[in-house]
Structures are given as C-alpha cells and as structure tokens.
Amino acid sequence: MWPTLVANKIFKKRLGSSDFIADFPSFKEPLLGIVDFDHNPKFIHNDHKGTQKCKVFVSTWNVGGIAPEEDLNIDDLLETCNETCDIYILGYYQKCFRFQEIVPLKASNVLGSENNDISMKWNSIIREALNKKSYKGGKDQSDGENLQNNSLNEKENSAKFCEAQHDVQCIISKQMVGIFISVWTRRDLYPFIRHPSVSCVGCGIMGCLGNKGSVSVRFQLHETSFCFVCSHLASGGREGDEKYRNSNVTEIFSRTSFPRGPLFDLPRTILDHDHVILLGDLNYRISLPEETTRFLVEKGDWDSLLENDQLKMELMSGNTMRGWHEGTIKFAPTYKYCPNSDIYYGCFYQGKKGEKRRAPAWCDRIVWHGEGLKQVQYTRTESKLSDHRPVKALFTAEVTVLPKLMKNLQSLFLSERFDQIKTPFEVSTTDDFVRTKRSSFRL
C-alpha cells in the first residue's frame, strides 16, 4: 500500500472523486433522485430563471494537536441560538488537526491511509450542536421541564430556549492528514444538491505530501455551483516566507480538479465555480519587527498592523489570489496564544528552552471569489482549546433557481427570512471587498 500512496503523492496525482463521508453513503446524482434537472425535458428548454438567496456559515479553526472532548461545546462558534443557516462549512486543522490540522504529524500519518476516528468525533460534536434544542443557560432540554414549577412566566421561559434547527445533515466530510472539512445543509435542501465531489492537494514535505495543502469540496445547489477550499499553507515568520505560501496557493489552484459530470458541463477547476470560498490557516504573518507588532497589538491598533499584513499586501499587489476579496478585520490577531489563556505567546510565557518566539498574526482567514456573494459577518470566537482562535464568517449567496421550483422554495431561502432577523450583523461597507449589487433585504 505504501509504495502506491507515495507514488501517487510524488507524481501529484489529482484526486477528484466521490471518496468522502456523508450521511447518505449511496450519494448519487441527484442526491435523492427527486428532481433530475439534467434529464427532465420540462426544464431543459426553459431559459427563464430566477434567483434566491441562501445563508452560508463558514468557520476555520486550527485546533493544534488536541483531540476534542465528547462534551466540547461549540454552540458559540456555530451561533446555534441566534441564526439558522442553509449551509454550514467547517474547516479544522490539527497537528495535524485543524478543522485544518487534526492528527499528530508523523510519517505514518503523512504517508499512510487516513484515520477517520478524530474526524468522526468532530462530526458527532457538530451534529449535536446543529440539531439540538438547547437551553441558553447551559442546561439541556430536559432540564427545562423543571421551569414549569418556578415563578417564570411563559414568555420568559420561551426566551431562554433556542429553536430547534431544521434537521441539519452532513453532505460531505473529508480528511487529508491534518486537514479536515465538513459540509452540512438543511435536510430540505437535499433534493436540490447535485454532483458532490472532493479534490485533495498535498503541498507539504517534498512539495507533495499532505501535511500542508488543501481539501476542496464542490457541489451544485439548484443551478449554482459552490466550491469550498480548506487550506493549510506553509508556515514560517521569516522575511520572504510569504512566497512559499503564495506558491502553495498556486499549486492548489492548478492541481485541484473535479469530475466534469455526466454531460461534461460541470466546473473542473476551483475558479470555474460560481461561488468560491477559501478558508484555513493560511499562515500569513505581519511584516513588522516582533517588538513593534506586540506594541501595536497591546494598543489594539489593528489598522497599523493590517497595513503590514502579508495577505492584505499580497492581495493588493496581485501576487496571489488576484480578484479575491476579504472582509474588514475588526478583531484581534488569532495566533499565537499561550495554552488555556488570553495571553499571546512570548509575552510572559516563554515556552520550552530554545523554542521559537512567534509574534501575533492573523493566520486564520476566510476569503472569497465570485459574483453574488456578500459577507455580512466576519469575526472570531474565544475558545481556548488551542493556540489559535476560531474565525467565522456569514455570507449570503445568490442561487439561480428554475422558475417552476421558486414558488415552493420561499421557506428555504432568505428573501423572506431576512426581514425577520432582529439581530444586526456587522456589515463590511467597503466596496473594494464586495463586487456585487446590494441586496434589497433589510438588515
């Protein structure tokens, strides 16, 4: 087995396939066989199409070498008490698991077959968080029965409970060494999801192994194609190391390949898709002396730091990801923290003798490409599980829908639901980052 695996990686074999884990093992196209747009004559010659908006949640988290406890609470990360989204994408990295880095780095893990035990544990945690009806005070639903005997009135009781989600299920889950991506949708969207596929690219040891690289997933929702790229790029805080990260991005874009589909009309590369979101530990640092970086972090001067942020500079110069966008960052650097604390590594905690000092940086990022995507939230959460803080973003995505289906889909998409949202989002108003018409819904 090992010679084959090594040969495939060395010769950079493209892995566009249906080799992934899902709630429906026999994941065929279309998923539930209810609506086959490619072969149904009622739809083939209908050129009059409309658009709806769906809400997409994206999160990236480098959890280091720490396996999750079964009782890990990620409700704050997923905002399960606040919002219901149509699609959830979570990328984890572990040393190697990170929602991008999920297993220890050693030869057998870098070269050998994948061990799905940890990724399955994460999926179990995600499933519970997305589908439970939880008590905001931290108790489960059964504890709420005791409230009937206390003095709280009915209105107060209902305010303390989160509404149950719409039966969110996993449609794609894929791990490559320490990079792991998990995609979830509401069950009532399943009949309209087609052509799911994954593609893995290793950019690590010898330029081809999977300790660095990407796991990309794609599918089509109605008439619109989505691609999500979960990446872990080259590390290093020395001057010039950003070039290695740029090289990784180039490799990922050039080597990622998906099947063309039964009619040979599906997107083949990442940039061929309508909506593309790249998430991960991209490892771009701040090009300032360490002392200056720490001083500006202490002051909370994000603007001065971002002027020297490598990813921002590379995007503006066009050296990498030309035409991609990132929302306004208004949160503290997400890396590197002392264990189980809010103190940046190297301030007071020096670690092991001879261990490298690492200045704070925004290593964990979410960027996007394509018309019809609008970011309405970009922030971090404060879990202390690892030396990185999770980052999350919320998007609205325009989806092209055939007209005969639109009448029955109002409950699925945001054109009506957004009017009911009471919690305002932090919206990026910088036109440079949003290349799409402003939507008509109210925030």
Side-chain angles (χ1 to χ4, degrees):
M1 179 183 71
W2 273 48
T4 301
L5 287 166
V6 173
N8 286 341
K9 293 176 184 293
I10 290 177
F11 290 107
K12 302 183 179 181
K13 180 179 179 180
R14 295 184 174 185
L15 298 176
S17 71
S18 58
D19 179 21
F20 55 83
I21 296 171
D23 281 346
F24 291 87
S26 57
F27 203 126
K28 297 182 180 180
E29 303 173 353
L31 184 55
L32 296 184
I34 296 178
V35 182
D36 190 341
F37 299 117
D38 290 335
H39 300 95
N40 192 328
K42 293 182 180 180
F43 297 114
I44 290 177
H45 301 293
N46 193 335
D47 296 327
H48 302 288
K49 300 177 181 180
T51 59
Q52 295 285 348
K53 292 185 175 65
C54 69
K55 186 187 287 187
V56 181
F57 174 94
V58 182
S59 178
T60 175
W61 190 9
N62 184 332
V63 299
I66 303 170
E69 299 291 337
E70 293 182 0
D71 59 350
L72 177 66
N73 189 321
I74 59 172
D75 291 353
D76 289 342
L77 174 63
L78 297 176
E79 299 189 27
T80 53
C81 286
N82 297 328
E83 304 298 336
T84 300
C85 295
D86 300 297
I87 303 171
Y88 291 85
I89 299 91
L90 299 105
Y92 294 92
Y93 313 83
Q94 200 156 351
K95 291 173 185 160
C96 234
F97 175 83
R98 263 185 181 75
F99 258 174
Q100 279 125 353
E101 207 175 289
I102 63 175
V103 296
L105 275 179
K106 55 184 180 181
S108 60
N109 290 332
V110 174
L111 292 172
S113 57
E114 305 297 348
N115 183 339
N116 291 317
D117 291 347
I118 298 180
S119 58
M120 294 300 290
K121 184 179 292 186
W122 275 107
N123 277 340
S124 177
I125 293 170
I126 297 168
R127 184 187 309 280
E128 181 179 359
L130 290 177
N131 289 291
K132 73 181 178 183
K133 185 173 182 180
S134 60
Y135 180 56
K136 287 185 179 180
K139 300 178 182 180
D140 58 29
Q141 185 178 4
S142 62
D143 293 334
E145 298 176 358
N146 297 327
L147 296 176
Q148 297 177 358
N149 300 321
N150 63 27
S151 59
L152 294 176
N153 59 41
E154 182 177 354
K155 182 177 181 180
E156 291 173 330
N157 285 345
S158 62
K160 287 181 175 287
F161 286 94
C162 305
E163 291 297 324
Q165 299 287 350
H166 293 267
D167 193 6
V168 182
Q169 300 292 325
C170 181
I171 63 167
I172 305 173
S173 175
K174 180 64 177 179
Q175 175 186 342
M176 179 186 72
V177 189
I179 305 173
F180 170 63
I181 187 169
S182 191
V183 181
W184 301 67
T185 68
R186 292 164 44 205
R187 180 183 287 270
D188 47 12
L189 287 182
Y190 270 35
F192 313 108
I193 293 176
R194 298 173 293 149
H195 312 301
S197 182
V198 300
S199 180
C200 301
V201 172
C203 300
I205 300 170
M206 297 187 295
C208 60
L209 301 188
N211 59 310
K212 294 291 190 291
S214 68
V215 177
S216 300
V217 303
R218 77 96 184 271
F219 58 87
Q220 189 163 327
L221 175 59
H222 293 287
E223 301 300 293
T224 300
S225 58
F226 287 81
C227 182
F228 301 98
V229 184
C230 186
S231 303
H232 188 196
L233 305 184
S235 60
R238 295 175 298 181
E239 183 178 355
D241 282 347
E242 67 274 12
K243 295 178 182 179
Y244 296 109
R245 296 183 264 277
N246 293 349
S247 176
N248 287 169
V249 172
T250 300
E251 284 283 295
I252 289 168
F253 286 176
S254 65
R255 291 167 50 198
T256 298
S257 179
F258 297 101
R260 292 299 304 272
L263 300 181
F264 303 101
D265 60 346
L266 295 177
R268 185 67 180 266
T269 69
I270 290 173
L271 294 178
D272 288 339
H273 292 78
D274 298 314
H275 300 323
V276 186
I277 297 177
L278 187 148
L279 58 144
D281 182 356
L282 306 188
N283 258 321
Y284 286 95
R285 309 302 171 90
I286 298 170
S287 294
L288 288 172
E290 181 180 338
E291 295 76 12
T292 305
T293 299
R294 293 187 185 278
F295 174 73
L296 293 173
V297 168
E298 185 69 23
K299 288 179 58 179
D301 188 351
W302 309 146
D303 291 340
S304 297
L305 289 166
L306 287 167
E307 289 176 359
N308 296 277
D309 175 77
Q310 290 177 352
L311 179 57
K312 291 289 187 186
M313 293 191 294
E314 296 300 299
L315 289 172
M316 290 181 63
S317 66
N319 290 335
T320 188
M321 291 186 282
R322 182 173 299 179
W324 287 69
H325 317 293
E326 183 181 26
T328 303
I329 293 178
K330 296 183 178 179
F331 51 87
T334 57
Y335 174 84
K336 173 179 171 71
Y337 284 91
C338 299
N340 300 309
S341 79
D342 291 320
I343 301 172
Y344 284 105
Y345 188 91
C347 293
F348 303 105
Y349 174 78
Q350 299 301 326
K352 298 179 182 178
K353 185 177 181 180
E355 193 171 13
K356 294 180 180 178
R357 291 164 57 91
R358 294 175 176 86
W362 286 282
C363 289
D364 311 280
R365 311 290 275 267
I366 299 171
V367 296
W368 78 91
H369 182 276
E371 299 290 335
L373 273 177
K374 182 176 181 178
Q375 190 181 75
V376 294
Q377 186 187 50
Y378 193 30
T379 186
R380 59 176 249 175
T381 54
E382 300 307 317
S383 172
K384 301 176 184 177
L385 179 68
S386 78
D387 54 357
H388 290 248
R389 293 293 186 264
V391 171
K392 60 185 177 182
L394 191 65
F395 295 87
T396 59
E398 291 184 359
V399 176
T400 302
V401 183
L402 293 172
K404 291 194 175 184
L405 295 173
M406 291 179 64
K407 185 176 180 180
N408 297 322
L409 295 177
Q410 295 300 320
S411 62
L412 300 181
F413 295 95
L414 295 181
S415 57
E416 292 184 354
R417 291 216 308 272
F418 255 75
D419 286 335
Q420 302 173 7
I421 294 177
K422 298 179 180 179
T423 304
F425 293 110
E426 179 184 346
V427 182
S428 173
T429 57
T430 306
D431 289 337
D432 290 342
F433 296 139
V434 182
R435 301 282 184 87
T436 183
K437 295 180 180 179
R438 294 187 178 277
S439 302
S440 59
F441 53 78
R442 298 197 307 269
L443 289 177

